[in-house]
Amino acid sequence: MKHRLLIALTGVLIVAAQPAIACSVSGDYRVPTNLELVERADAIMLAVVEDGPTDIDGMNGPEPTLVVRPVATLKGGPLPERMRLGGMIASGNFAVQSNPEELEQAHPLAYIGGCTRYMYVRGSTVLFFLENFQGRMLQAGHPFTRSSEDVPSDNSRWVQAVRLYVEVAALPAPERRAALLARQAALRARTGDADAQAIVDDIDRQLSGPNRPWNAIMEEEVRRMETEERRVRKPHRQ
């Protein structure tokens, strides 16, 4: 898994219900793959972001403050007409929606603060991954994952991929690889479909197995940056 952002993270994995709290991950933490993320979720829903505080101070109460309206369920049971989740309405430079062509990287805001995205654009439709915590549905707290991404429609690239992984994750574990290969072959045949070809590439990432440990990714990124810095500083020969 390639990461475009370098984040120095050490210590013990902390997953907080309040996403404004800073987190850190252990060196052996592995970012779940998209298939693993789907498998671990108790519910996956499309929901419209309707309301919420516009600053972090507004999130400091005992209850989640982001108001969302579920419009479709991809996994799990029925959901209420309105839900409250941890988060806030972003403004300024942070009011950025997810890249609709992306299937690997999480929203940039997942790489800062609480290690999971907690700022959203009012009125956007988001694909939320939820987990049951003591009888209450909360946003999935796996750092640096695509657990809450804006989508332009209910048939967008990310939604198509998640629907596929929901089907595969419902199968017995020994059957999943064959199912992924079969679905990948069918998608590869759709040569004029950019979404299908992007999902073909994403299936390759699932077939490659678990992601590498976070410390290995960070060490590689540090070495790459050091090499690049030396290259830039090296005087040009006359």
Side-chain angles (χ1 to χ4, degrees):
M1 184 176 188
K2 298 178 181 178
H3 289 269
R4 304 189 187 99
L5 300 177
L6 175 63
I7 309 165
L9 298 165
T10 58
V12 180
L13 172 63
I14 303 171
V15 179
Q18 169 55 275
I21 298 174
C23 86
S24 62
V25 298
S26 61
D28 60 353
Y29 171 69
R30 296 176 185 267
V31 178
T33 65
N34 289 336
L35 179 59
E36 290 171 335
L37 186 65
V38 167
E39 181 181 12
R40 296 177 188 181
D42 294 305
I44 303 173
M45 69 173 181
L46 281 168
V48 177
V49 177
E50 292 193 332
D51 200 8
T54 56
D55 57 58
I56 291 179
D57 289 341
M59 296 173 57
N60 289 335
E63 295 295 324
T65 53
L66 191 72
V67 180
V68 303
R69 174 171 52 85
V71 294
T73 303
L74 279 67
K75 180 182 178 182
L79 296 171
E81 292 186 3
R82 296 290 188 283
M83 294 183 68
R84 286 186 175 272
L85 302 173
M88 57 182 279
I89 303 295
S91 60
N93 293 335
F94 293 110
V96 178
Q97 293 184 328
S98 305
N99 179 354
E101 298 182 356
E102 183 64 64
L103 290 179
E104 183 180 10
Q105 301 291 326
H107 190 283
L109 293 174
Y111 299 104
I112 64 174
C115 302
T116 57
R117 183 184 180 189
Y118 64 93
M119 286 186 264
Y120 301 89
V121 179
R122 187 189 302 273
S124 64
T125 300
V126 178
L127 190 58
F128 286 102
F129 287 67
L130 307 175
E131 293 182 344
N132 191 316
F133 180 73
Q134 297 180 352
R136 186 175 186 178
M137 285 295 186
L138 301 176
Q139 291 159 275
H142 308 292
F144 321 129
T145 60
R146 294 179 57 81
S147 59
S148 55
E149 299 291 331
D150 307 277
V151 292
S153 75
D154 60 1
N155 194 42
S156 64
R157 180 176 297 184
W158 178 228
V159 176
Q160 290 183 53
V162 171
R163 289 188 189 278
L164 185 154
Y165 296 141
V166 168
E167 293 177 1
V168 172
L171 298 172
E175 300 178 16
R176 293 176 187 171
R177 183 174 182 84
L180 284 172
L181 288 169
R183 285 161 172 78
Q184 186 182 48
L187 289 166
R188 186 176 280 119
R190 291 159 50 182
T191 55
D193 187 334
D195 288 345
Q197 301 313 307
I199 297 171
V200 164
D201 293 339
D202 196 59
I203 290 175
D204 275 336
R205 289 187 282 270
Q206 315 314 305
L207 292 169
S208 296
N211 286 316
R212 292 184 300 149
W214 190 252
N215 60 351
I217 295 173
M218 290 297 97
E219 288 169 3
E220 180 180 285
E221 182 68 9
V222 168
R223 289 194 298 270
R224 185 196 65 77
M225 293 181 68
E226 290 174 343
T227 300
E228 179 64 16
E229 184 177 3
R230 288 195 296 270
R231 186 191 67 79
V232 172
R233 289 184 176 182
K234 186 177 181 179
H236 296 287
R237 295 181 178 180
Q238 299 297 327

